[in-house]
Amino acid sequence: MSAPSRLKELRDQIDPINLQILELLNKRATIAREIGQVLQQVGTRFYDPQREAEMLTALQMANEGPFSNEAINKIFSEIFHATLNLEERDARQTILVQRKQPDQHTIIEFRNGLRLGNDSFEIIAGPCAVESYEQMDRVGAVLAERGVKMIRGMGYKPRTSPYDFQGMGEEGLKIARQVANKYGLAVISEVLDMSLIPMMDEYVDAFWVGARNMQNSFLLRALGKQSKPVLLKRGFGATLKEFIYAAEYIMASGNQQVILMERGIRTFSEWTRNTLDISAVPLLKQETHLPIIVDISHSAGRRDIANPLGRVARVSGADGLMVEVHPNPDVAMSDAKQQLNLEQFNQLMDDIESVSDRYQQPAE
Ligand code: PEP
Ligand code: MN
């Protein structure tokens, strides 16, 4: 037989074998998926190095060549890896925060017309803490003038030292509500403890969970029972996986209106308070359907780079940014170094408005 016809004959034998291997691989994947479901039910992780090692040893014992054991190891390790990816992808599909289709976006609407999510870039602003009616009124007036629709109305402050200003409490919330009503703003305020929820519910349009409480599952569950939206800040030492699972606590308890906020993570940086993890924005956009807001104040801890960070937030694909604004930051009771004065806030707004392109997530 001539070489070309022999080659054809041999190749004709290979093709159906490829198809058989393909069929077997997919049969294996189907069973592995079921194993993944069982593991998920019992709460065991998918990656099991001991089981992989056992399978590889069994294959080596059975291997009669011509493939070397090393080659067999490589091929099967690749199969194990693909299987693990499949199991993990399946698991993510079952969580509520995960975006299931490219065009799935949660949009959160407020009574004053504010819409957070996907179609616009919104600003949340206000002082670190409510300090007086006059302070809130001056900020509220400027926000309304610039078309901002949500004010920070912080009555309770999580401070490093118990001797520092802890917030005005309910008195502060009353002021925030009054000012918000005067200027048509929505009020958002940090809830430090679940016992405060019923009282705060009288004053706020949305609840805020600070970085220190991101993994307080009791608080998250309690907020999951509320009908108002919840803004969840990323913990300064939290991975994105931990962050989205914290959001999952709220959603799994019944409240689907969750807003995520990237606020910077703790690194070795000396020149900023935290390090703004801007990559969190596209990643969270890719993985979840929730609105994501960038905190340009606590991430940097300094006002002099607020404008460039604001511009970066705008093009990152985020649904908005949060900035601290105070009529006289130098005498602020907390976070004096990072709050913008009213003029600086106006400049920030001009700057952001000059950035015309907000990054849009491409359809898959
Ligand atoms: C805040 O934004 O008011 C705040 C206290 O920030 P964080 O929880 O991110 O430290
Ligand atoms: Mn602050």
PDB file of all heavy atoms in Angstrom, residues 128 152 154 157-158 190 208-212 233-234 236 261 263 273 295 298 322 324 335, ligand 1:
ATOM      1  N   CYS A 128     -18.817  63.335  56.518  1.00  0.00           N
ATOM      2  CA  CYS A 128     -18.517  62.047  57.151  1.00  0.00           C
ATOM      3  C   CYS A 128     -19.591  61.784  58.200  1.00  0.00           C
ATOM      4  O   CYS A 128     -20.160  60.698  58.242  1.00  0.00           O
ATOM      5  CB  CYS A 128     -17.132  62.088  57.781  1.00  0.00           C
ATOM      6  SG  CYS A 128     -16.690  60.553  58.573  1.00  0.00           S
ATOM      7  N   ARG A 152     -25.354  61.638  52.450  1.00  0.00           N
ATOM      8  CA  ARG A 152     -24.927  60.852  53.610  1.00  0.00           C
ATOM      9  C   ARG A 152     -25.536  61.505  54.844  1.00  0.00           C
ATOM     10  O   ARG A 152     -25.342  62.698  55.055  1.00  0.00           O
ATOM     11  CB  ARG A 152     -23.403  60.903  53.764  1.00  0.00           C
ATOM     12  CG  ARG A 152     -22.598  60.175  52.721  1.00  0.00           C
ATOM     13  CD  ARG A 152     -21.104  60.505  52.910  1.00  0.00           C
ATOM     14  NE  ARG A 152     -20.648  60.215  54.250  1.00  0.00           N
ATOM     15  CZ  ARG A 152     -19.955  59.135  54.591  1.00  0.00           C
ATOM     16  NH1 ARG A 152     -19.619  58.247  53.687  1.00  0.00           N
ATOM     17  NH2 ARG A 152     -19.580  58.945  55.837  1.00  0.00           N
ATOM     18  N   MET A 154     -25.057  60.500  58.305  1.00  0.00           N
ATOM     19  CA  MET A 154     -24.473  59.567  59.272  1.00  0.00           C
ATOM     20  C   MET A 154     -24.660  60.025  60.717  1.00  0.00           C
ATOM     21  O   MET A 154     -24.063  61.015  61.147  1.00  0.00           O
ATOM     22  CB  MET A 154     -22.979  59.374  58.978  1.00  0.00           C
ATOM     23  CG  MET A 154     -22.705  58.850  57.586  1.00  0.00           C
ATOM     24  SD  MET A 154     -23.488  57.254  57.296  1.00  0.00           S
ATOM     25  CE  MET A 154     -22.915  56.893  55.637  1.00  0.00           C
ATOM     26  N   LYS A 157     -21.054  56.723  64.009  1.00  0.00           N
ATOM     27  CA  LYS A 157     -19.747  56.582  63.386  1.00  0.00           C
ATOM     28  C   LYS A 157     -18.926  55.467  64.025  1.00  0.00           C
ATOM     29  O   LYS A 157     -18.755  55.453  65.247  1.00  0.00           O
ATOM     30  CB  LYS A 157     -18.950  57.899  63.516  1.00  0.00           C
ATOM     31  CG  LYS A 157     -19.497  59.066  62.743  1.00  0.00           C
ATOM     32  CD  LYS A 157     -19.723  58.769  61.272  1.00  0.00           C
ATOM     33  CE  LYS A 157     -18.496  58.327  60.510  1.00  0.00           C
ATOM     34  NZ  LYS A 157     -18.849  57.864  59.135  1.00  0.00           N
ATOM     35  N   PRO A 158     -18.423  54.546  63.222  1.00  0.00           N
ATOM     36  CA  PRO A 158     -17.542  53.502  63.769  1.00  0.00           C
ATOM     37  C   PRO A 158     -16.130  54.076  63.881  1.00  0.00           C
ATOM     38  O   PRO A 158     -15.418  54.144  62.896  1.00  0.00           O
ATOM     39  CB  PRO A 158     -17.607  52.416  62.688  1.00  0.00           C
ATOM     40  CG  PRO A 158     -17.905  53.156  61.415  1.00  0.00           C
ATOM     41  CD  PRO A 158     -18.559  54.457  61.766  1.00  0.00           C
ATOM     42  N   GLU A 190     -25.406  54.846  57.998  1.00  0.00           N
ATOM     43  CA  GLU A 190     -24.789  53.593  58.458  1.00  0.00           C
ATOM     44  C   GLU A 190     -25.503  53.022  59.672  1.00  0.00           C
ATOM     45  O   GLU A 190     -25.744  53.715  60.662  1.00  0.00           O
ATOM     46  CB  GLU A 190     -23.300  53.808  58.779  1.00  0.00           C
ATOM     47  CG  GLU A 190     -22.664  52.541  59.354  1.00  0.00           C
ATOM     48  CD  GLU A 190     -21.151  52.482  59.264  1.00  0.00           C
ATOM     49  OE1 GLU A 190     -20.519  53.403  58.721  1.00  0.00           O
ATOM     50  OE2 GLU A 190     -20.587  51.477  59.755  1.00  0.00           O
ATOM     51  N   TRP A 208     -26.928  51.477  55.279  1.00  0.00           N
ATOM     52  CA  TRP A 208     -25.527  51.441  54.873  1.00  0.00           C
ATOM     53  C   TRP A 208     -24.780  50.530  55.828  1.00  0.00           C
ATOM     54  O   TRP A 208     -24.895  50.688  57.039  1.00  0.00           O
ATOM     55  CB  TRP A 208     -25.034  52.883  54.961  1.00  0.00           C
ATOM     56  CG  TRP A 208     -23.606  53.205  54.795  1.00  0.00           C
ATOM     57  CD1 TRP A 208     -22.590  52.840  55.609  1.00  0.00           C
ATOM     58  CD2 TRP A 208     -23.043  54.044  53.781  1.00  0.00           C
ATOM     59  NE1 TRP A 208     -21.424  53.396  55.165  1.00  0.00           N
ATOM     60  CE2 TRP A 208     -21.675  54.138  54.050  1.00  0.00           C
ATOM     61  CE3 TRP A 208     -23.570  54.728  52.683  1.00  0.00           C
ATOM     62  CZ2 TRP A 208     -20.817  54.899  53.253  1.00  0.00           C
ATOM     63  CZ3 TRP A 208     -22.720  55.476  51.901  1.00  0.00           C
ATOM     64  CH2 TRP A 208     -21.369  55.555  52.169  1.00  0.00           C
ATOM     65  N   VAL A 209     -24.061  49.561  55.278  1.00  0.00           N
ATOM     66  CA  VAL A 209     -23.233  48.691  56.118  1.00  0.00           C
ATOM     67  C   VAL A 209     -21.776  49.072  55.882  1.00  0.00           C
ATOM     68  O   VAL A 209     -21.287  49.022  54.747  1.00  0.00           O
ATOM     69  CB  VAL A 209     -23.443  47.192  55.786  1.00  0.00           C
ATOM     70  CG1 VAL A 209     -22.541  46.318  56.659  1.00  0.00           C
ATOM     71  CG2 VAL A 209     -24.903  46.799  55.956  1.00  0.00           C
ATOM     72  N   GLY A 210     -21.086  49.476  56.941  1.00  0.00           N
ATOM     73  CA  GLY A 210     -19.704  49.921  56.811  1.00  0.00           C
ATOM     74  C   GLY A 210     -18.733  48.765  56.668  1.00  0.00           C
ATOM     75  O   GLY A 210     -19.077  47.599  56.907  1.00  0.00           O
ATOM     76  N   ALA A 211     -17.511  49.111  56.286  1.00  0.00           N
ATOM     77  CA  ALA A 211     -16.475  48.114  56.030  1.00  0.00           C
ATOM     78  C   ALA A 211     -16.279  47.173  57.228  1.00  0.00           C
ATOM     79  O   ALA A 211     -16.106  45.972  57.058  1.00  0.00           O
ATOM     80  CB  ALA A 211     -15.168  48.825  55.708  1.00  0.00           C
ATOM     81  N   ARG A 212     -16.330  47.735  58.442  1.00  0.00           N
ATOM     82  CA  ARG A 212     -16.077  46.923  59.637  1.00  0.00           C
ATOM     83  C   ARG A 212     -17.165  45.886  59.894  1.00  0.00           C
ATOM     84  O   ARG A 212     -16.956  44.940  60.636  1.00  0.00           O
ATOM     85  CB  ARG A 212     -15.939  47.840  60.861  1.00  0.00           C
ATOM     86  CG  ARG A 212     -14.642  48.594  60.875  1.00  0.00           C
ATOM     87  CD  ARG A 212     -14.728  49.882  61.678  1.00  0.00           C
ATOM     88  NE  ARG A 212     -13.607  50.761  61.340  1.00  0.00           N
ATOM     89  CZ  ARG A 212     -13.560  51.523  60.250  1.00  0.00           C
ATOM     90  NH1 ARG A 212     -14.554  51.528  59.383  1.00  0.00           N
ATOM     91  NH2 ARG A 212     -12.518  52.263  59.994  1.00  0.00           N
ATOM     92  N   LYS A 233     -20.502  48.041  52.045  1.00  0.00           N
ATOM     93  CA  LYS A 233     -19.120  48.402  51.733  1.00  0.00           C
ATOM     94  C   LYS A 233     -18.222  47.180  51.853  1.00  0.00           C
ATOM     95  O   LYS A 233     -18.448  46.317  52.702  1.00  0.00           O
ATOM     96  CB  LYS A 233     -18.622  49.493  52.688  1.00  0.00           C
ATOM     97  CG  LYS A 233     -19.306  50.820  52.464  1.00  0.00           C
ATOM     98  CD  LYS A 233     -18.624  51.959  53.208  1.00  0.00           C
ATOM     99  CE  LYS A 233     -17.513  52.570  52.387  1.00  0.00           C
ATOM    100  NZ  LYS A 233     -16.990  53.834  52.999  1.00  0.00           N
ATOM    101  N   ARG A 234     -17.209  47.143  51.023  1.00  0.00           N
ATOM    102  CA  ARG A 234     -16.243  46.034  51.088  1.00  0.00           C
ATOM    103  C   ARG A 234     -15.373  46.206  52.333  1.00  0.00           C
ATOM    104  O   ARG A 234     -14.904  47.311  52.610  1.00  0.00           O
ATOM    105  CB  ARG A 234     -15.375  46.086  49.836  1.00  0.00           C
ATOM    106  CG  ARG A 234     -14.321  45.009  49.771  1.00  0.00           C
ATOM    107  CD  ARG A 234     -13.472  45.184  48.528  1.00  0.00           C
ATOM    108  NE  ARG A 234     -12.484  44.148  48.425  1.00  0.00           N
ATOM    109  CZ  ARG A 234     -11.574  44.088  47.452  1.00  0.00           C
ATOM    110  NH1 ARG A 234     -11.565  45.010  46.511  1.00  0.00           N
ATOM    111  NH2 ARG A 234     -10.702  43.117  47.410  1.00  0.00           N
ATOM    112  N   PHE A 236     -12.030  46.162  54.551  1.00  0.00           N
ATOM    113  CA  PHE A 236     -10.701  46.537  54.048  1.00  0.00           C
ATOM    114  C   PHE A 236      -9.746  45.360  53.924  1.00  0.00           C
ATOM    115  O   PHE A 236      -8.689  45.487  53.323  1.00  0.00           O
ATOM    116  CB  PHE A 236     -10.069  47.686  54.847  1.00  0.00           C
ATOM    117  CG  PHE A 236     -10.273  47.623  56.330  1.00  0.00           C
ATOM    118  CD1 PHE A 236      -9.644  46.648  57.090  1.00  0.00           C
ATOM    119  CD2 PHE A 236     -11.085  48.553  56.949  1.00  0.00           C
ATOM    120  CE1 PHE A 236      -9.832  46.608  58.466  1.00  0.00           C
ATOM    121  CE2 PHE A 236     -11.275  48.513  58.327  1.00  0.00           C
ATOM    122  CZ  PHE A 236     -10.651  47.530  59.086  1.00  0.00           C
ATOM    123  N   MET A 261     -20.158  48.740  47.404  1.00  0.00           N
ATOM    124  CA  MET A 261     -19.235  49.869  47.366  1.00  0.00           C
ATOM    125  C   MET A 261     -17.800  49.427  47.593  1.00  0.00           C
ATOM    126  O   MET A 261     -17.475  48.824  48.612  1.00  0.00           O
ATOM    127  CB  MET A 261     -19.624  50.937  48.403  1.00  0.00           C
ATOM    128  CG  MET A 261     -18.775  52.201  48.252  1.00  0.00           C
ATOM    129  SD  MET A 261     -19.216  53.503  49.415  1.00  0.00           S
ATOM    130  CE  MET A 261     -20.703  54.143  48.681  1.00  0.00           C
ATOM    131  N   ARG A 263     -14.233  50.469  48.618  1.00  0.00           N
ATOM    132  CA  ARG A 263     -13.766  51.576  49.454  1.00  0.00           C
ATOM    133  C   ARG A 263     -12.279  51.516  49.741  1.00  0.00           C
ATOM    134  O   ARG A 263     -11.773  52.196  50.615  1.00  0.00           O
ATOM    135  CB  ARG A 263     -14.571  51.654  50.755  1.00  0.00           C
ATOM    136  CG  ARG A 263     -14.695  50.363  51.496  1.00  0.00           C
ATOM    137  CD  ARG A 263     -13.514  50.022  52.353  1.00  0.00           C
ATOM    138  NE  ARG A 263     -13.422  50.862  53.525  1.00  0.00           N
ATOM    139  CZ  ARG A 263     -12.305  51.129  54.168  1.00  0.00           C
ATOM    140  NH1 ARG A 263     -11.155  50.601  53.758  1.00  0.00           N
ATOM    141  NH2 ARG A 263     -12.300  51.897  55.230  1.00  0.00           N
ATOM    142  N   ARG A 273      -4.645  56.275  52.695  1.00  0.00           N
ATOM    143  CA  ARG A 273      -5.200  55.571  53.855  1.00  0.00           C
ATOM    144  C   ARG A 273      -5.410  54.090  53.533  1.00  0.00           C
ATOM    145  O   ARG A 273      -5.182  53.203  54.330  1.00  0.00           O
ATOM    146  CB  ARG A 273      -6.523  56.273  54.181  1.00  0.00           C
ATOM    147  CG  ARG A 273      -7.204  55.813  55.425  1.00  0.00           C
ATOM    148  CD  ARG A 273      -8.423  56.707  55.673  1.00  0.00           C
ATOM    149  NE  ARG A 273      -9.202  56.230  56.784  1.00  0.00           N
ATOM    150  CZ  ARG A 273     -10.339  56.781  57.186  1.00  0.00           C
ATOM    151  NH1 ARG A 273     -10.820  57.843  56.554  1.00  0.00           N
ATOM    152  NH2 ARG A 273     -11.003  56.292  58.200  1.00  0.00           N
ATOM    153  N   ASP A 295     -15.934  54.574  46.412  1.00  0.00           N
ATOM    154  CA  ASP A 295     -15.697  55.541  47.491  1.00  0.00           C
ATOM    155  C   ASP A 295     -14.327  56.175  47.259  1.00  0.00           C
ATOM    156  O   ASP A 295     -13.292  55.533  47.453  1.00  0.00           O
ATOM    157  CB  ASP A 295     -15.748  54.779  48.831  1.00  0.00           C
ATOM    158  CG  ASP A 295     -15.384  55.638  50.039  1.00  0.00           C
ATOM    159  OD1 ASP A 295     -14.929  56.778  49.854  1.00  0.00           O
ATOM    160  OD2 ASP A 295     -15.549  55.141  51.176  1.00  0.00           O
ATOM    161  N   HIS A 298     -12.632  57.427  51.470  1.00  0.00           N
ATOM    162  CA  HIS A 298     -11.949  56.553  52.432  1.00  0.00           C
ATOM    163  C   HIS A 298     -10.838  55.745  51.768  1.00  0.00           C
ATOM    164  O   HIS A 298      -9.902  55.322  52.440  1.00  0.00           O
ATOM    165  CB  HIS A 298     -12.958  55.631  53.124  1.00  0.00           C
ATOM    166  CG  HIS A 298     -13.961  56.411  53.905  1.00  0.00           C
ATOM    167  ND1 HIS A 298     -15.060  56.974  53.305  1.00  0.00           N
ATOM    168  CD2 HIS A 298     -14.002  56.787  55.202  1.00  0.00           C
ATOM    169  CE1 HIS A 298     -15.745  57.631  54.215  1.00  0.00           C
ATOM    170  NE2 HIS A 298     -15.130  57.539  55.372  1.00  0.00           N
ATOM    171  N   MET A 322     -18.896  57.886  45.605  1.00  0.00           N
ATOM    172  CA  MET A 322     -19.264  58.460  46.896  1.00  0.00           C
ATOM    173  C   MET A 322     -18.116  59.343  47.344  1.00  0.00           C
ATOM    174  O   MET A 322     -16.945  58.946  47.252  1.00  0.00           O
ATOM    175  CB  MET A 322     -19.500  57.332  47.894  1.00  0.00           C
ATOM    176  CG  MET A 322     -20.211  57.745  49.163  1.00  0.00           C
ATOM    177  SD  MET A 322     -19.202  58.676  50.299  1.00  0.00           S
ATOM    178  CE  MET A 322     -18.112  57.401  50.880  1.00  0.00           C
ATOM    179  N   GLU A 324     -16.993  62.483  50.391  1.00  0.00           N
ATOM    180  CA  GLU A 324     -17.343  63.227  51.607  1.00  0.00           C
ATOM    181  C   GLU A 324     -17.167  64.722  51.380  1.00  0.00           C
ATOM    182  O   GLU A 324     -16.136  65.168  50.869  1.00  0.00           O
ATOM    183  CB  GLU A 324     -16.472  62.763  52.784  1.00  0.00           C
ATOM    184  CG  GLU A 324     -16.881  61.387  53.272  1.00  0.00           C
ATOM    185  CD  GLU A 324     -16.183  60.955  54.552  1.00  0.00           C
ATOM    186  OE1 GLU A 324     -15.112  61.505  54.884  1.00  0.00           O
ATOM    187  OE2 GLU A 324     -16.709  60.035  55.209  1.00  0.00           O
ATOM    188  N   ASP A 335     -12.634  62.443  59.927  1.00  0.00           N
ATOM    189  CA  ASP A 335     -12.131  62.428  58.553  1.00  0.00           C
ATOM    190  C   ASP A 335     -11.885  63.819  57.952  1.00  0.00           C
ATOM    191  O   ASP A 335     -12.198  64.078  56.774  1.00  0.00           O
ATOM    192  CB  ASP A 335     -13.073  61.605  57.652  1.00  0.00           C
ATOM    193  CG  ASP A 335     -12.936  60.113  57.927  1.00  0.00           C
ATOM    194  OD1 ASP A 335     -11.989  59.719  58.651  1.00  0.00           O
ATOM    195  OD2 ASP A 335     -13.777  59.332  57.435  1.00  0.00           O
TER     196      ASP A 335
HETATM  197  C1  PEP B   1     -18.004  55.743  55.862  1.00  0.00           C
HETATM  198  O1  PEP B   1     -18.050  55.706  54.643  1.00  0.00           O
HETATM  199  O2  PEP B   1     -18.705  56.489  56.525  1.00  0.00           O
HETATM  200  C2  PEP B   1     -17.055  54.859  56.567  1.00  0.00           C
HETATM  201  C3  PEP B   1     -17.037  54.815  57.890  1.00  0.00           C
HETATM  202  O3  PEP B   1     -16.247  54.139  55.789  1.00  0.00           O
HETATM  203  P1  PEP B   1     -15.721  52.623  55.945  1.00  0.00           P
HETATM  204  O4  PEP B   1     -16.817  51.829  56.568  1.00  0.00           O
HETATM  205  O5  PEP B   1     -15.424  52.215  54.544  1.00  0.00           O
HETATM  206  O6  PEP B   1     -14.471  52.704  56.776  1.00  0.00           O
END
